[in-house]
Amino acid sequence: MKWDALEEEPCSLARTVAVIGDRWSLLVLRECFLRIRRFDDFQASLGITRHLLADRLKKLVRFGVLRKIPYQDAPKRYEYILTQKGLDLYPIIMSIVHWGNVHMVDSRGRPMLHEHKSCKRMFDPVMVCSECGEPLAAKAVHVHPGPGARQASPVHAEAQQRTKRGRERARGAA
């Protein structure tokens, strides 16, 4: 896989990484969800160079994650607003935050707490099955090729066969 061609890969994860897979894009998105909208505010909050910030904002606009809304004419200045496509990244951002809260927090505790507006309680994000509502864990999910899949690579095919053989041995031993 070539880094600059990830958006063309027949893999949803690779295509997503093409859009948000670098640290600055993720941090820009964090700021968007914290209601930062203006270039100077992004720069002040992140400490990022103007060139890098302009590049990341341009990319997020190009992929339809953000849209530019002018707020000043002379000189022309814009606010960057999350589109629906951008808002749909919220579960991803919250999953990363939750992982950080579990595995990277220091003795001071979590840097931010999240309150659900409806019930007024602090919460931890949880991923659940859209069909039955049960919490999801990696070991509780089986992946099948979808209509947009390419033929499985030999590496993936062999890994799937090893997993299948291991399950069969475990059943035979039980």
Side-chain angles (χ1 to χ4, degrees), residues 121-138:
R121 299 184 66 178
M122 299 301 167
F123 71 92
D124 288 322
V126 226
M127 190 169 41
V128 297
C129 173
S130 62
E131 301 302 311
C132 71
E134 284 189 23
L136 292 175

Side-chain angles (χ1 to χ4, degrees), residues 86-114:
L87 290 168
D88 288 345
L89 289 167
Y90 190 68
I92 294 169
I93 299 299
M94 288 304 292
S95 291
I96 294 170
V97 167
H98 180 66
W99 186 90
N101 285 342
V102 170
H103 298 288
M104 301 302 292
V105 72
D106 62 22
S107 61
R108 296 172 291 180
R110 297 176 181 198
M112 290 186 196
L113 300 174
H114 296 86

Side-chain angles (χ1 to χ4, degrees), residues 14 17 21 26 46 67 79 101 144 146 151 166:
V17 166
L26 285 170
L46 295 171
R67 62 187 163 103
E79 288 189 329
N101 285 342
H144 300 274
Q151 185 174 349

Side-chain angles (χ1 to χ4, degrees), residues 145-161:
R150 64 176 174 213
Q151 185 174 349
S153 72
V155 172
H156 289 112
E158 176 58 29
Q160 289 171 347
Q161 286 300 316

Side-chain angles (χ1 to χ4, degrees), residues 12 15 27 38 54 73 75 80 91 97 118 123 130 133 145 147 158 163:
S12 296
R15 290 177 182 169
L27 292 173
R38 297 181 177 183
D73 288 324
Y80 294 87
V97 167
S118 296
F123 71 92
S130 62
E158 176 58 29
T163 301

